[in-house]
Amino acid sequence: MSITIKHLEGPLAGQEQHFDDTVGAILFGRDREAAEVVYPPEYDVVGRKHFALRRNEAGDYSVELFGKRYVGIDGIAADNGTPVKSGSVFRLGRQDGPSFKVEIAAPAAEGLPVTGEQSTMLTAAERDRALRRQFGYALGAIGAILIAIVGYFDYQHSTLAYQIEAAKAEASERAKQEFSKAALDRLEAAVYLVAKKEGEGEMAEGTAWAFGPDKDKLATNAHVTEAIKGHESEFFLIAPDGKHIKIKSVTLHPGYLVFNKYKTTQGVTRWGNFTPLDLINEYDVGIIEIDPATPLPVDSATGNPVTLELASKDYLEQLAPGTPVASVGFPVEGLAGSESATKAPGTLHFGYISSLTDVFMCRTDKVHQLLIQHSVPVTGGASGSPLIDTSGKVIGIVNGGNTTVFKDTGEAVNAKVRMPSAALINFAQRVDLLEDLAHGAVDQNLAEDETYWRKTAARFDDYFKVAVKAFKELAQSRYAVGEGADRPLGDDVLDAGKVDSFKLVSKTYPFEAKPGQVYGFIADAESGVPVGINVKQHGTSKFLRDAKDPRQSSELELAPTAWVTVPEPTTLDVIVWSLVAQPARYVLHAYSWEEPKSLPAAAADTPSAAPQQ
């Protein structure tokens, strides 16, 4: 019996190696003195002595593992003694590691036919994995029946939870092998709990971590700093040694607020209904500055606080799916022991990068791959955790995960519970966004990003196109008019400047209205910050609205409207307004239709309930 190794991927790709039945064991590794299949010495994906294919007296081959080196056969982790079939594809080290195919030839012995095909014996671990796969296949066919019979949560805990835990355990164990103890020790020593005073007690709220060279700044998520802002005295940090540290101030990436609004303007339309994109905010990055009165604890060996190094932009642009990652944080939501989290250490988790995408979670070039999708477990409290790769440098900031939210009928009316997704795809922001924020490069880069948003958004539906279609249809049904004329009236930004709270800002546009016409005004809130429209008779405080318009007051909307008819020539003041804390870009349109002769013109001067300008 002979065996041929055909290398498919990796440094030996395209080569073939043939071993006859005189070779009792084929060792794979980087040790040139010991290995039969030798990988380059610098190719550390493979161990020096990674594993061996061992031939028994019957001529069959099986796997011999060395330590915890990963060996996958046809996508499943091999166990010691796993039998090898001809045609099997092996992968070593990790998901992007080298692969090869084995072909086993079994010529007939002299005077005797080749032994017939035998039943395959499975190891206990293989039987367990086979059962897991059977569970997965069966769930697809009978999941709906199970839900109807036993209820969703019984199903969740008996099957789905088992699959999630099994998948996490296997991925975690494989990833763990890639990290040095020194890198993990440093990771754990640099991570802090973000906590809040709650009555007489303390509650865990999130995670932060120290990054160099500053000794007074920690990184976290923007949504964590948003919660702290204005309430700094209520929040504090807890160091790995238990020390309480006061917070002086917080800063968040401006893109967090800007994109939160903008993403509501892009989506998909089905059956005439517009649904905004369900996106993770790529700019969920913030910085906490501590009070100098309570400095960070120092490492006894260096005399300085333990900080984490950020990966360079060039390095980040080379990240790829399959990269092992690790994170330390304080996940507490829905977990046992959350009440004692403020007295507990951070928890260490492992996983892999699943994908790298842009702000719309779409494929893109490496420059715009700022959202890291990964399999590290995430729940409330882990927000802000650092994500490192095997270099020990931070590549991302953990901020969210795929979960399904349910109402908890056993608790208060609005109580919710979150169930993790079986897909195990969670999210982190690439850490160069933190670098920009820390070094004042945010404004220029964000302006460039906004240009990219608008270019890329062309592949989706814009909410305003849907709104205009409904606006025209309403004009036809309400006023029995035909096609109208569109006149752009204003293209501007409502900007309150640097403010800590909402401020009323408005702009006014004069408009000449004539009797016998129906006028409809609609604004496109391009930046996603809602605006309103009021119409006044020029030079007065008299608000005008057509009697057929049931909404006699203006509201803040992405596409606000106002309808006006007049009995005599009238100069109107069309006012676009908003309560803003960030700039609100808009385009104001004035539509006009000739009023059918059979319909009398009507005008209303009911005062608006909108804020006075």
Side-chain angles (χ1 to χ4, degrees):
M1 179 176 289
S2 63
I3 185 170
T4 300
I5 310 297
K6 294 186 175 181
H7 296 279
L8 306 176
E9 297 173 279
L12 305 182
Q15 300 181 33
E16 292 188 10
Q17 293 174 266
H18 180 79
F19 301 92
D20 59 28
D21 56 10
T22 62
V23 180
I26 305 168
L27 177 65
F28 292 71
R30 292 180 289 136
D31 188 335
R32 294 183 178 277
E33 300 297 323
E36 282 72 37
V37 178
V38 183
Y39 290 89
E42 69 277 5
Y43 189 63
D44 60 2
V45 174
V46 175
R48 293 182 63 254
K49 296 180 180 180
H50 200 91
F51 91 109
L53 292 177
R54 187 164 294 281
R55 182 176 181 275
N56 62 22
E57 293 182 0
D60 299 318
Y61 288 87
S62 62
V63 171
E64 181 180 355
L65 298 179
F66 301 148
K68 295 183 177 180
R69 303 296 185 189
Y70 173 71
V71 177
I73 303 178
D74 296 326
I76 298 176
D79 293 310
N80 217 20
T82 298
V84 178
K85 299 177 182 178
S86 182
S88 296
V89 174
F90 284 66
R91 190 173 294 277
L92 307 183
R94 60 193 189 202
Q95 292 179 2
D96 62 346
S99 65
F100 57 87
K101 183 179 182 180
V102 299
E103 293 183 353
I104 302 172
E110 293 183 11
L112 294 173
V114 176
T115 303
E117 185 175 345
Q118 304 290 296
S119 296
T120 302
M121 300 296 291
L122 299 179
T123 66
E126 287 176 315
R127 285 196 300 272
D128 181 57
R129 283 194 292 270
L131 285 172
R132 262 182 242 163
R133 289 197 300 273
Q134 291 172 13
F135 271 129
Y137 300 147
L139 286 175
I142 67 173
I145 298 174
L146 285 172
I147 292 172
I149 295 175
V150 301
Y152 187 83
F153 287 102
D154 286 343
Y155 160 67
Q156 171 197 347
H157 292 299
S158 64
T159 54
L160 184 57
Y162 173 76
Q163 291 183 45
I164 293 173
E165 290 307 314
K168 283 197 301 187
E170 184 172 343
S172 176
E173 183 60 32
R174 287 162 49 195
K176 183 178 180 180
Q177 300 172 24
E178 305 289 338
F179 292 86
S180 69
K181 184 177 184 302
L184 298 180
D185 287 346
R186 189 172 193 85
L187 175 64
E188 292 179 302
V191 176
Y192 294 68
L193 171 67
V194 180
K196 182 182 181 182
K197 299 173 185 175
E198 286 285 336
E200 302 302 318
E202 303 169 344
M203 180 177 291
E205 292 287 334
T207 303
W209 45 279
F211 64 99
D214 295 318
K215 299 179 181 180
D216 59 352
K217 291 184 175 64
L218 296 93
T220 188
N221 287 145
H223 73 258
V224 175
T225 58
E226 271 288 272
I228 298 173
K229 189 175 182 180
H231 306 278
E232 284 81 358
S233 62
E234 300 173 26
F235 285 83
F236 57 95
L237 302 174
I238 301 179
D241 63 0
K243 178 183 177 182
H244 284 42
I245 298 166
K246 295 180 180 180
I247 294 174
K248 176 183 176 182
S249 62
V250 295
T251 307
L252 72 157
H253 196 294
Y256 177 72
L257 296 177
V258 175
F259 187 71
N260 257 1
K261 297 295 185 181
Y262 178 75
K263 69 180 184 178
T264 64
T265 70
Q266 305 300 315
V268 294
T269 306
R270 296 187 179 92
W271 307 106
N273 295 317
F274 175 81
T275 302
L277 299 175
D278 181 14
L279 300 174
I280 292 292
N281 195 316
E282 177 180 279
Y283 300 91
D284 198 356
V285 176
I287 293 176
I288 297 173
E289 185 174 354
I290 65 168
D291 189 326
T294 54
L296 301 181
V298 299
D299 178 58
S300 58
T302 65
N304 292 310
V306 177
T307 60
L308 298 177
E309 184 180 353
L310 310 185
S312 69
K313 190 177 185 67
D314 290 342
Y315 185 91
L316 293 166
E317 290 179 3
Q318 300 308 311
L319 292 175
T323 301
V325 289
S327 184
V328 167
F330 294 86
V332 292
E333 184 179 340
L335 301 180
S338 58
E339 294 82 2
S340 61
T342 56
K343 300 173 179 60
T347 60
L348 174 64
H349 295 282
F350 299 91
Y352 288 89
I353 291 179
S354 311
S355 182
L356 296 146
T357 66
D358 72 356
V359 67
F360 294 105
M361 298 170 68
C362 296
R363 64 179 67 90
T364 186
D365 57 275
K366 292 183 179 298
V367 172
H368 292 99
Q369 289 179 345
L370 298 178
L371 190 64
I372 301 172
Q373 300 182 28
H374 60 86
S375 62
V376 173
V378 171
T379 191
S383 294
S385 303
L387 191 72
I388 68 168
D389 72 350
T390 54
S391 70
K393 297 178 182 178
V394 182
I395 61 171
I397 306 175
V398 173
N399 85 310
N402 274 299
T403 58
T404 303
V405 181
F406 297 93
K407 180 178 287 187
D408 187 349
T409 56
E411 298 293 336
V413 175
N414 295 318
K416 304 288 184 180
V417 291
R418 289 196 288 190
M419 186 194 76
S421 166
L424 292 177
I425 297 178
N426 299 316
F427 305 97
Q429 284 67 42
R430 213 169 70 180
V431 81
D432 46 342
L433 290 167
L434 172 65
E435 188 84 37
D436 292 345
L437 182 60
H439 295 94
V442 168
D443 291 340
Q444 178 182 347
N445 290 343
L446 183 57
E448 294 173 358
D449 285 356
E450 289 188 71
T451 300
Y452 174 79
W453 300 351
R454 285 167 173 76
K455 177 182 177 182
T456 309
R459 69 184 72 178
F460 303 108
D461 294 333
D462 186 279
Y463 85 99
F464 190 65
K465 293 180 181 178
V466 180
V468 167
K469 182 175 183 293
F471 175 75
K472 291 179 178 179
E473 290 174 350
L474 179 60
Q476 292 169 0
S477 64
R478 178 184 288 174
Y479 298 100
V481 295
E483 285 295 319
D486 174 18
R487 171 187 165 190
L489 197 57
D491 183 347
D492 213 329
V493 179
L494 300 177
D495 192 351
K498 298 290 185 180
V499 294
D500 293 326
S501 59
F502 290 100
K503 181 180 180 181
L504 178 63
V505 182
S506 66
K507 289 187 181 292
T508 301
Y509 300 88
F511 184 85
E512 299 298 330
K514 301 177 181 179
Q517 297 284 312
V518 175
Y519 298 102
F521 302 96
I522 183 170
D524 177 5
E526 289 187 325
S527 60
V529 179
V531 298
I533 297 177
N534 282 337
V535 181
K536 286 183 179 180
Q537 185 174 335
H538 180 67
T540 73
S541 58
K542 189 176 184 178
F543 286 87
L544 300 179
R545 288 273 177 164
D546 183 71
K548 292 180 180 291
D549 186 358
R551 299 194 313 168
Q552 293 295 309
S553 63
S554 182
E555 298 178 18
L556 288 171
E557 300 175 283
L558 290 179
T561 61
W563 302 85
V564 176
T565 57
V566 295
E568 59 186 14
T570 305
T571 300
L572 307 178
D573 284 341
V574 183
I575 304 162
V576 181
W577 64 277
S578 185
L579 291 167
V580 297
Q582 63 187 85
R585 174 168 290 282
Y586 66 89
V587 178
L588 176 63
H589 297 262
Y591 282 80
S592 60
W593 295 267
E594 185 173 349
E595 195 173 32
K597 300 301 182 182
S598 58
L599 295 176
D605 56 2
T606 305
S608 171
Q612 295 297 310
Q613 308 300 313

